[in-house]
């Protein structure tokens, strides 16, 4: 069994910090669960264009208000606590934080630890565990 507290990883190499968001990765590939499990804090007033072409992601909002614009359909969905979205078709999207938001995110295949968005808004498929 794995027990891990968010406070113990916020200042560690399991946390990736960017101007728009910070992601603390509670479970990574090396934890051998078949997925990675993150707490993502999205900052108020930010807009992030994302395309997880190599991953599936499910996101569950537990705090804050924002929206996701699906660039495949042109539809925009409000994100509030209790709303989940799943990018089951690798949809390109824009995530906007109206307030600070706290989201729980699951990635398949699992992240290995250091991934941050490339110029397409994607994470590469990394093979080597480096954290
Ligand atoms: C919601 C979202 O995709 N934000 C970017 C960070 C990502 N969730 C992560 O790596 O935890």
């Amino acid at each position: 069994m794995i027990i891990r507290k968010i406070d113990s990883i916020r200042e560690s190499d399991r946390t990736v910090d960017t101007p728009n968001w910070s992601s603390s990765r509670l479970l990574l590939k090396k934890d051998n669960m078949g997925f990675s499990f993150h707490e993502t804090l999205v900052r108020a007033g930010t807009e992030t264009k994302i395309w997880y072409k190599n991953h599936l992601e499910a996101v569950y909002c537990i705090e804050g208000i924002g929206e996701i614009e699906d660039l495949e359909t042109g539809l925009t969905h409000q994100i509030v606590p209790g709303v989940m979205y799943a990018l089951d078709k690798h949809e390109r999207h824009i995530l906007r934080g109206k307030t600070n938001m706290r989201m729980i995110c699951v990635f398949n295949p699992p992240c290995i630890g250091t991934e941050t968005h490339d110029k397409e808004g994607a994470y590469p498929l990394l093979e080597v565990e480096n954290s």
Side-chain angles (χ1 to χ4, degrees), residues 63-88:
E63 270 179 33
I65 298 171
E67 65 181 30
I68 183 170
E69 181 178 345
D70 181 340
L71 295 175
E72 311 297 337
T73 64
L75 296 175
T76 295
H77 309 275
Q78 300 307 304
I79 306 295
V80 297
V83 174
M84 184 276 306
Y85 64 86
L87 302 165
D88 63 327

Side-chain angles (χ1 to χ4, degrees), residues 2 5 12 19 31-33 44 73 79 85 101 119 123 131:
I2 301 168
K5 295 184 180 175
S12 78
D31 295 309
N32 295 316
M33 292 290 288
T73 64
I79 306 295
Y85 64 86
M101 303 173 78
K119 62 182 187 318
Y123 288 161
S131 68

Side-chain angles (χ1 to χ4, degrees), residues 21 23 25 38 40 50 52 57 85 95 105 107 117 123:
W21 51 264
S23 171
R25 295 164 178 179
H38 312 181
T40 299
I50 300 173
Y52 291 129
E57 186 197 27
Y85 64 86
L95 183 65
C105 310
F107 278 82
H117 294 152
Y123 288 161

Side-chain angles (χ1 to χ4, degrees), residues 113-127:
T114 54
E115 289 91 335
T116 191
H117 294 152
D118 65 15
K119 62 182 187 318
E120 289 184 314
Y123 288 161
L125 272 180
L126 298 174
E127 299 296 333

Side-chain angles (χ1 to χ4, degrees), residues 42-47 65-67 95-101:
V42 175
R43 301 187 215 287
T46 61
E47 176 170 302
I65 298 171
E67 65 181 30
L95 183 65
R96 298 187 182 93
K98 303 288 183 197
T99 67
N100 287 332
M101 303 173 78

